[in-house]
Amino acid sequence: MIETKKPAIVIFGLNLSDGLRTFVQAGHDLGVEVVLIHEPFSGDPTSAGGLAELYRRRQAMVDAAVEVASLDVIRALATVQTLAERYEIRGVYAGGERYVEVTAGVAAVYDLPGPGLRAASISRNKLMQRVLCERGGLPVPAFAMINSAEQARKFMAGRGPVVAKPCTRWGSAGVRRLDSAADLDRYLADHATEQHGFTLLLEEYLPGIEVSVECLVLDGTAMVTSITHKGKGAEPYFVETLQVVPAELAQHRRAACQELAWRVIELTGMKTGILHLEAIEESETSRVYPVEWAVREPGHAIMDLVDWRFNGRATPYLVGMHLGRTAPQPPVENSERIAVTAFIELPPGVIVAVRQDRDPETIPGVVEFDFFAAEGDLITVARDNWSTSGGYSVFADDLADLRRILDDLDEAFAVLIRGEGGGQEWIRVSRQVRAEVLDERSRTVERT
């Protein structure tokens, strides 16, 4: 008796976004199982406990999971060949930045929908993006690929601040604003091992409003476009601590951001998938510059936020694209809904107490709440996405509903910090959302 193979979509690499649950459900609704091929968990020792548990929870959401020691295209293809004995592989999907080219390679071999090898390769290299934009007539800041400290000093001479970026890393890791030669020397000393050979991109610093543009692209055409407001932690670091859908932009600014995304799709020859384009509207000229982009699901739960804005229909449309099956009409935005993901960035100091009077996840509208710090922990300025103290998402029907949810959250949870000067204050984890979305500037609960 011949056993019928089960149809499946394969995810390469594990994304910690809560949207995986919605992705799996969409796959089931479209008649396929979701199979995960992933590497063992590895994380910063200071937060590994909480993140490891989150990693395990995500693995439990899929229908089957296969762990491989290292996920490159050769191991990916070998694992898919083994899976093909039991599954009919209908689609593949990149679960994280490191797996974009691996997934594109598998898609090419199996003739499955995907962004294409060219678009995938360009999305993984910031220097390639800068050169492509320059050649394609898009605005770019002055930039240079640096191979030595002397080249870096020469580029910085006579300029204002510059931004240092490793060419192939993600999550804001290693991205710094440098204001002087002394800053450069400290940066190079801190990253001596990582920057072996000085594979470093330096570019002119652009002050301005940052957004990201998310496009669901089908056969080279953006079928769904959403714009996300991006809040950051303190410079000289560029840690993204807040994501809000929709971004509040004037219509001409929204149009400029959309046009930039569509131009990137054209320049890269992107075929099918997600374009996640980070852009900045420069303060003095109001020109919109591409910062960088990726052809995979954005981090920070942005896809979850987009899905809420589109009445839960964006993710099913996304899964359908990767299976070669889409709805007759793309989803339409709900003009009132607001969705937020906030990373918890506490002020520097020591955690004296953590008050939790109620599980935040029992609050209607709070989708997921994680706090990885504890009493006695020393808090420093976040240097990348993995050095914040936790995070949460909020889905609200409108601004009034968002305020109600944040009020409930602050009643349920707060952190007492003893600052560097010895004073203590209770910190509301909603403080950045209130400041940037509700325009409420109060940052503390009370002083003690």
Side-chain angles (χ1 to χ4, degrees):
M1 180 178 179
I2 299 176
E3 183 179 353
T4 303
K5 293 183 179 181
K6 300 176 182 178
I9 185 169
V10 178
I11 300 176
F12 295 98
L14 183 55
N15 189 331
L16 296 183
S17 167
D18 191 50
L20 181 59
R21 190 190 318 275
T22 307
F23 188 100
V24 172
Q25 184 59 57
H28 292 172
D29 292 343
L30 289 168
V32 300
E33 293 195 1
V34 179
V35 180
L36 169 68
I37 303 175
H38 67 97
E39 295 172 316
F41 171 78
S42 61
D44 188 302
T46 60
S47 59
L51 290 177
E53 174 56 30
L54 192 59
Y55 202 82
R56 286 190 291 270
R57 294 206 308 263
R58 294 294 181 264
Q59 285 183 51
M61 293 178 181
V62 300
D63 296 298
V66 180
E67 184 174 285
V68 296
S70 178
L71 188 48
D72 56 24
V73 69
I74 294 174
R75 291 179 176 85
L77 282 168
T79 307
V80 168
Q81 281 187 298
T82 301
L83 289 171
E85 297 174 4
R86 292 181 290 138
Y87 294 99
E88 179 189 352
I89 309 300
R90 298 266 184 93
V92 291
Y93 188 75
E97 176 68 22
R98 286 188 295 165
Y99 313 108
V100 166
E101 290 177 282
V102 169
T103 307
V106 175
V109 170
Y110 280 84
D111 195 25
L112 296 170
L117 283 168
R118 181 175 186 269
S121 178
I122 293 170
S123 84
R124 290 283 290 132
N125 189 292
K126 296 179 179 67
L127 181 62
M128 291 177 69
Q129 293 178 12
R130 283 287 175 266
V131 174
L132 181 68
C133 287
E134 188 174 54
R135 288 174 55 82
L138 295 180
V140 294
F143 69 92
M145 183 68 183
I146 300 303
N147 296 307
S148 70
E150 183 57 34
Q151 285 185 349
R153 293 188 185 95
K154 184 176 180 180
F155 179 81
M156 292 182 67
R159 299 184 187 275
V162 302
V163 179
K165 295 181 176 182
C167 278
T168 58
R169 296 184 69 185
W170 62 96
S172 300
V175 181
R176 301 287 186 276
R177 170 177 163 159
L178 307 178
D179 294 318
S180 65
D183 287 347
L184 172 66
D185 291 341
R186 281 191 293 269
Y187 180 88
L188 296 177
D190 289 343
H191 297 80
T193 302
E194 299 173 27
Q195 301 302 331
H196 178 67
F198 291 100
T199 55
L200 184 68
L201 179 69
L202 286 186
E203 62 184 29
E204 198 172 15
Y205 171 79
L206 296 175
I209 299 170
E210 290 199 31
V211 300
S212 65
V213 187
E214 281 69 50
C215 293
L216 302 190
V217 183
L218 180 63
D219 296 330
T221 300
M223 306 300 291
V224 175
T225 301
S226 176
I227 303 179
T228 303
H229 165 76
K230 303 169 80 67
K232 297 187 303 179
E235 294 184 5
Y237 308 105
F238 293 85
V239 181
E240 296 172 14
T241 53
L242 181 67
Q243 318 289 331
V244 185
V245 173
E248 290 296 326
L249 296 174
Q251 185 55 42
H252 71 282
R253 292 177 173 176
R254 180 173 294 274
C257 291
Q258 291 175 335
E259 187 65 34
L260 178 62
W262 298 339
R263 184 77 176 114
V264 166
I265 293 168
E266 179 184 26
L267 284 174
T268 60
M270 182 180 176
K271 297 175 182 177
T272 294
I274 305 176
L275 173 71
H276 169 60
L277 166 68
E278 297 180 359
I280 184 167
E281 184 186 54
E282 201 268 332
S283 300
E284 293 185 5
T285 65
S286 295
R287 297 181 76 187
V288 180
Y289 289 78
V291 175
E292 60 186 73
W293 65 81
V295 290
R296 46 83 179 156
E297 181 175 333
H300 302 162
I302 291 177
M303 193 60 208
D304 309 357
L305 312 186
V306 174
D307 199 53
W308 173 256
R309 178 74 174 175
F310 283 80
N311 295 311
R313 295 175 182 168
T315 297
Y317 192 83
L318 167 70
V319 177
M321 291 194 321
H322 283 275
L323 293 171
R325 296 154 50 189
T326 55
Q329 296 295 328
V332 177
E333 282 187 279
N334 184 317
S335 61
E336 295 297 321
R337 282 184 164 184
I338 299 169
V340 175
T341 288
F343 282 78
I344 300 172
E345 186 183 27
L346 300 172
V350 175
I351 296 180
V352 177
V354 177
R355 172 177 61 77
Q356 180 171 315
D357 298 329
R358 174 185 177 186
D359 181 354
E361 291 189 11
T362 65
I363 299 170
V366 178
V367 178
E368 186 166 26
F369 185 96
D370 292 295
F371 188 73
F372 303 130
E375 292 180 11
D377 284 357
L378 175 64
I379 303 298
T380 59
V381 174
R383 299 190 173 201
D384 54 41
N385 293 151
W386 297 275
S387 56
T388 55
S389 298
Y392 60 92
S393 295
V394 171
F395 293 172
D397 292 324
D398 51 34
L399 275 174
D401 190 37
L402 177 62
R403 182 174 285 104
R404 187 269 307 166
I405 296 168
L406 296 180
D407 288 345
D408 289 347
L409 178 59
D410 289 334
E411 286 185 7
F413 190 93
V415 182
L416 182 62
I417 294 286
R418 182 172 62 250
E420 295 170 343
Q424 297 184 169
E425 59 183 0
W426 284 98
I427 303 299
R428 302 190 298 184
V429 294
S430 72
R431 61 187 190 144
Q432 187 176 12
V433 182
R434 290 183 182 276
E436 297 194 28
V437 183
L438 300 180
D439 198 28
E440 297 177 2
R441 299 299 169 181
S442 175
R443 299 254 173 162
T444 62
V445 176
E446 62 179 316
R447 293 191 177 272
T448 62

